Amino acid sequence: MPKVSVVMPVFNGALYIGESIDSVLNQTMTDLELIIVNDGSTDNTLEIVQNYAKNDSRVKVIDRENSGRPSFPKNEGIAAASGNYVCFLDHDDLYDSDRVMRLVAGLDNHQDWVAAFHDTRYINSTGECLDYIYLSDSNFLQRASTY
């Protein structure tokens, strides 16, 4: 059983999904599975993800009819997850290489935590980092402090 299950719902994600998958498979913590739920894509997304699954046993593919709702493929991915922890990645987003390791270390070392999250950096379609940083720029930490 893997330590972490990464659930990736996708609909017509051929343009970016390879880079997203690579960002999961290239994590410093390799004790994970990647569950990709293809939500009825009409481009070549399914072919791309099946090729990854053929080459890496950590990749599992679920192919379903299009639901038109993002929660359906996420829930199906959660149901298929076998890891101690579950996290998500959209098909057009990327993980930093140490993301999973850092979040798991936090959760393992703080038994009172029920969840962990991280800040977000924004990049454009060519991979350039933008100046916006979610937690800082949205004043998230101050707004969430009462919780």
Side-chain angles (χ1 to χ4, degrees):
M1 172 170 38
K3 182 86 169 185
V4 176
S5 296
V6 179
V7 175
M8 180 186 294
V10 58
F11 174 73
N12 288 348
L15 185 60
Y16 297 111
I17 196 163
E19 195 173 0
S20 294
I21 293 169
D22 289 341
S23 78
V24 174
L25 299 180
N26 293 324
Q27 289 292 297
T28 56
M29 179 181 176
T30 59
D31 187 13
L32 56 81
E33 67 180 351
L34 173 59
I35 302 167
I36 303 169
V37 184
N38 181 50
D39 195 32
S41 295
T42 57
D43 63 3
N44 66 329
T45 295
L46 183 59
E47 179 183 340
I48 293 168
V49 301
Q50 287 174 332
N51 282 332
Y52 273 94
K54 286 179 194 172
N55 294 314
D56 194 315
S57 62
R58 297 175 296 166
V59 179
K60 318 241 179 325
V61 177
I62 299 170
D63 187 32
R64 55 169 288 125
E65 288 184 27
N66 182 258
S67 66
R69 305 177 115 182
S71 61
F72 285 26
K74 280 184 180 180
N75 288 339
E76 195 162 343
I78 292 169
S82 61
N84 295 350
Y85 300 117
V86 176
C87 56
F88 299 96
L89 180 64
D90 291 337
H91 72 269
D92 59 350
D93 291 341
L94 306 172
Y95 279 174
D96 285 336
S97 63
D98 61 348
R99 177 202 187 265
V100 172
M101 181 266 310
R102 286 176 174 261
L103 292 177
V104 167
L107 288 163
D108 282 350
N109 292 319
H110 298 89
Q111 296 299 311
D112 55 324
W113 290 9
V114 295
F117 65 97
H118 58 87
D119 205 345
T120 302
R121 285 184 288 123
Y122 289 84
I123 58 174
N124 64 19
S125 62
T126 63
E128 296 173 274
C129 283
L130 306 177
D131 289 336
Y132 183 80
I133 299 173
Y134 179 76
L135 292 181
S136 303
D137 295 348
S138 68
N139 204 21
F140 176 83
L141 295 177
Q142 183 180 7
R143 291 184 339 196
S145 66
T146 58
Y147 300 100

